Amino acid sequence: MIKVCKFGGTSMADGINMKRVADIIAADKARRFVVVSAPGKRFGGDTKITDLLYRTHTDVKETGHCGEAFQKVCERFCGIVSELGLSLDMQTILDDARREIEEEKSEDFTASRGEYLSARVMAALLGFEFVDARAVVKFGENGNLDGELTFRLTAEALKGKRCAVVSGFYGEDRKGKVKTFSRGGSDVSGAIVARAVGADCYENWTDVSGFLACDPRIVENPENIRMLSYKELRELSYMGANVLHSESIFPVREADIPIRIKNTFRPEDEGTDIVPTAKYRFGGRVVTGIAGKKDFTVIFVEKSMMNSEIGFAHKVLGVLERHGISFEHMPSGIDTMSFVIDSALLKNGVLEIITKEIEQAVNPDVVRVFDDISLIAVVGHGMSRSVGTSARLFDAIARAGVNVRMIDQGSSELNIIVGVDNENYERAIRAVYEEFFTKKTADFGYQA
Ligand code: ASP
């Protein structure tokens, strides 16, 4: 049995927490490969090491030298090492990092040092070998992960090792330069290691006891989700449920490796299991979880007889493609088509240019723009073949006095996306949560 364990920033925040991590690893012999984030916040108002390093990069760009922010990084790591009573020569390691940061002058390289240093400390604490992600995680020409090469190199590096600590968050590009994933990317690194060693389980240790059915900032004390399928996870994390990086399922999915979300500070809690979709067992809830995001723009296009005009959608999509704009959803009717786009992509006059070009491309009767739209995703395998789910959903939203601006339901019946005005976002989420989770009738839909 092999378990790969990834520990997030809060779990690595200080010596006491790192000791906790060491205890968790010691409690199970199967926990052989460990992936770590950089130390995160120790308390509200504290600064994550990664953020200090981004500041360091700005300092280097402006002055050529690491400044005060890097000094804080050094103090944090030296503090941790002395707290843990390790004999690691941290000062030399930090001096080397400083020199390299000043030489490389690269933002990604600078940010990556948080995970590098944290993995060095963790390896020393556990007495495990350290494996630098730079040597095994490789990005391809297009900037995306080169999965095949990465899995092979990681497997080779870990073969024959009983235990190891691998640094999270970064790898190396084709030119031999360090490149990071997007923020929170150590989750992806953990999934890569799990895939490479053929782990039985990818344990992702964080500071919450698993996935919650809803954002706790909106609904007080929402239910914990005991089991999620990969597909449900993808839908929920894409739509803002951010326990796990949304790209972390790709490496493990193809190998059917389950992910278990666990809480470093409450290891006895069950957490959430994320399982291959085929292994998902219906737990009784029609809806597994609710997530959402604010600030979308809808571009609505209407033209009579649109349905018989061959190439209509192609021409409109061509406009978006030329401007490098991706869209989230495309609900359509016989003579209408809408594009839901993240408003951030349409700033600085882009929206105006796009609508003009759509007019030129397809000569529509109407092009209208609605902004300040929020999307709410109601996700769950239990919705499929469950009669009356949408009726309950829309009834609940209507009872809350919220107007639905857009609806999109995938034919897999895994999710229903509802668009509402930003100002109604929280109200709508509360209403949906109450309908599917807190009402007496909440549990079971009628299965057709
Ligand atoms: N340390 C990085 C961040 O703060 C990556 C990670 O923790 O996964 O985003």
Side-chain angles (χ1 to χ4, degrees):
M1 172 82 119
I2 302 179
K3 289 181 181 168
V4 168
C5 307
K6 179 259 166 178
F7 290 88
T10 322
S11 310
M12 303 297 294
D14 57 21
I16 295 176
N17 291 1
M18 286 198 187
K19 184 75 189 50
R20 240 186 256 276
V21 168
D23 290 343
I24 289 170
I25 292 164
D28 186 346
K29 288 255 168 311
R31 294 182 176 135
R32 291 174 44 193
F33 301 110
V34 178
V35 176
V36 292
S37 281
K41 291 184 185 181
R42 295 160 291 183
F43 44 81
D46 195 17
T47 311
K48 292 180 177 187
I49 289 288
T50 308
D51 290 318
L52 288 171
L53 288 166
Y54 281 118
R55 263 192 239 159
T56 301
H57 174 65
T58 310
D59 291 341
V60 171
K61 235 176 24 186
E62 282 168 7
T63 67
H65 298 287
C66 291
E68 201 190 313
F70 191 72
Q71 197 44 44
K72 288 196 177 133
V73 171
C74 296
E75 282 160 21
R76 287 268 309 260
F77 276 104
C78 288
I80 289 172
V81 167
S82 74
E83 214 180 328
L84 292 170
L86 296 174
S87 59
L88 191 67
D89 181 3
M90 203 61 208
Q91 201 48 58
T92 306
I93 297 173
L94 287 164
D95 288 346
D96 288 347
R98 179 194 299 268
R99 184 180 37 78
E100 284 180 301
I101 288 171
E102 290 176 355
E103 275 166 20
E104 293 267 340
K105 297 186 176 37
S106 133
E107 183 172 53
D108 281 15
F109 179 82
T110 308
S112 76
R113 294 306 86 188
E115 272 67 13
Y116 168 80
L117 296 166
S118 141
R120 294 286 309 259
V121 173
M122 204 59 203
L125 176 64
L126 296 169
F128 287 11
E129 257 183 77
F130 163 70
V131 173
D132 192 343
R134 189 170 187 173
V136 293
V137 175
K138 302 287 174 180
F139 293 92
E141 212 70 69
N142 51 9
N144 293 336
L145 180 77
D146 182 341
E148 213 175 297
L149 180 62
T150 296
F151 300 142
R152 182 166 56 75
L153 292 175
T154 309
E156 278 168 15
L158 297 178
K159 207 163 120 200
K161 289 192 178 40
R162 161 88 202 113
C163 302
V165 177
V166 185
S167 41
F169 191 38
Y170 67 94
E172 194 181 68
D173 69 11
R174 279 281 156 90
K175 295 191 186 116
K177 295 278 173 203
V178 163
K179 178 175 162 54
T180 63
F181 291 105
S182 56
R183 295 297 303 260
S186 301
D187 286 339
V188 187
S189 314
I192 289 170
V193 175
R195 163 73 181 272
V197 300
D200 297 279
C201 180
Y202 169 29
E203 287 185 345
N204 191 291
W205 291 82
T206 174
D207 53 2
V208 289
S209 293
F211 255 86
L212 297 173
C214 190
D215 187 338
R217 288 166 301 186
I218 301 175
V219 168
E220 206 182 312
N221 243 332
E223 204 170 276
N224 195 63
I225 305 176
R226 184 66 200 95
M227 186 184 280
L228 266 178
S229 75
Y230 287 158
K231 279 195 180 154
E232 289 175 328
L233 167 75
R234 172 90 179 122
E235 299 286 343
L236 289 170
S237 52
Y238 185 74
M239 282 296 280
N242 55 9
V243 177
L244 202 62
H245 193 290
S246 67
E247 283 162 34
S248 37
I249 43 171
F250 296 118
V252 286
R253 191 176 55 185
E254 283 160 42
D256 271 4
I257 299 167
I259 307 172
R260 177 166 286 179
I261 310 285
K262 293 282 286 176
N263 188 346
T264 302
F265 305 92
R266 295 179 59 97
E268 63 288 356
D269 285 358
E270 283 185 311
T272 299
D273 285 340
I274 301 154
V275 298
T277 307
K279 295 200 181 126
Y280 178 82
R281 277 178 282 108
F282 179 60
R285 285 268 182 240
V286 171
V287 170
T288 305
I290 305 158
K293 276 189 196 167
K294 283 186 167 177
D295 297 327
F296 289 92
T297 298
V298 179
I299 303 178
F300 170 85
V301 186
E302 181 168 11
K303 186 176 187 186
S304 38
M305 304 299 285
M306 174 194 288
N307 62 327
S308 57
E309 192 176 323
I310 291 173
F312 188 95
H314 179 74
K315 286 181 206 154
V316 181
L317 291 174
V319 174
L320 298 184
E321 189 182 354
R322 274 200 299 285
H323 290 275
I325 305 281
S326 60
F327 68 91
E328 305 293 318
H329 297 279
M330 193 179 80
S332 58
I334 307 172
D335 290 334
T336 63
M337 200 170 267
S338 301
F339 299 89
V340 183
I341 299 168
D342 183 347
S343 304
L345 302 174
L346 299 171
K347 287 195 173 134
N348 305 326
V350 175
L351 176 63
E352 291 69 23
I353 296 172
I354 282 178
T355 43
K356 197 139 157 239
E357 287 189 19
I358 292 175
E359 276 165 3
Q360 286 161 353
V362 291
N363 195 24
D365 301 336
V366 178
V367 177
R368 221 174 288 143
V369 172
F370 308 99
D371 53 13
D372 293 334
I373 299 287
S374 295
L375 296 182
I376 298 171
V378 183
V379 177
H381 288 293
M383 297 196 305
S384 95
R385 286 172 288 117
S386 170
V387 175
T389 306
S390 2
R392 286 173 65 191
L393 171 64
F394 293 110
D395 189 43
I397 296 177
R399 272 186 280 114
V402 172
N403 182 30
V404 172
R405 303 294 305 266
M406 185 214 89
I407 303 167
D408 198 6
Q409 180 179 20
S411 49
S412 64
E413 292 188 68
L414 174 64
N415 65 2
I416 302 176
I417 310 281
V418 182
V420 300
D421 287 328
N422 272 350
E423 57 180 24
N424 289 328
Y425 175 68
E426 284 85 3
R427 192 143 39 112
I429 291 212
R430 274 186 220 113
V432 177
Y433 184 83
E434 189 177 329
E435 174 62 37
F436 289 100
F437 288 88
T438 49
K439 269 172 66 169
K440 276 261 180 317
T441 51
D443 277 343
F444 298 92
Y446 171 72
Q447 298 287 308

